[in-house]
Amino acid sequence: MSEQHPGAQPPPRHELRDISFRAVMAGGLAIGLAVGGLVVVADMLFPQKSLDRLLKPPFPVIAEPRLQSDPAADMAAFAAHERDILNSSGWTDRDRGIGHIPIAQAMQDIADEGIPGWPTGEGVSP
């Protein structure tokens, strides 16, 4: 047996095993189950909220409205254009042979010639 000198320190010692592999795996499994359980609970409380945000933007994408700067002037220009078409002659579809004539002339032609196959009203007693 060796003698210890007064004031001498005992020889250093250390643990041979710090932590067991089973404890690490059990802790990891417990944390994983807890996180998974919280995800399931959150999904039950807020169904499809997180998935919806991932798949589409939080608000519908709507095109900006094309506003009229002067609606009265736009309407006046539209009415003038339509009036010009009604009072002029020209091609509507040249390839198919469709044209138009002034409305006053068209009404006079109908009054003079009638509409083919349209009942004339003759022989009807009042």
Side-chain angles (χ1 to χ4, degrees):
M1 204 156 143
S2 66
E3 275 183 44
Q4 288 189 353
H5 299 312
Q9 297 289 330
R13 298 181 304 165
H14 66 278
E15 292 184 21
L16 299 177
R17 285 184 14 197
D18 289 333
I19 190 167
S20 72
F21 179 73
R22 287 175 108 180
V24 171
M25 292 307 290
L29 183 63
I31 291 172
L33 288 174
V35 169
L38 290 173
V39 167
V40 169
V41 169
D43 190 43
M44 287 189 305
L45 291 175
F46 308 104
Q48 298 298 317
K49 294 291 183 187
S50 59
L51 182 61
D52 286 347
R53 270 190 235 119
L54 289 174
L55 297 178
K56 55 187 168 184
F59 51 86
V61 178
I62 300 173
E64 292 182 10
R66 293 179 13 185
L67 301 177
Q68 293 176 306
S69 59
D70 190 357
D74 291 345
M75 187 62 190
F78 172 76
H81 176 71
E82 292 294 310
R83 196 171 24 260
D84 290 343
I85 292 173
L86 284 174
N87 295 316
S88 67
S89 59
W91 289 106
T92 302
D93 188 349
R94 185 183 291 263
D95 295 336
R96 293 179 28 197
I98 301 173
H100 63 91
I101 59 175
I103 189 75
Q105 180 184 349
M107 290 191 307
Q108 187 61 48
D109 290 349
I110 293 295
D112 293 342
E113 301 168 12
I115 299 174
W118 193 266
T120 60
E122 294 177 12
V124 177
S125 60

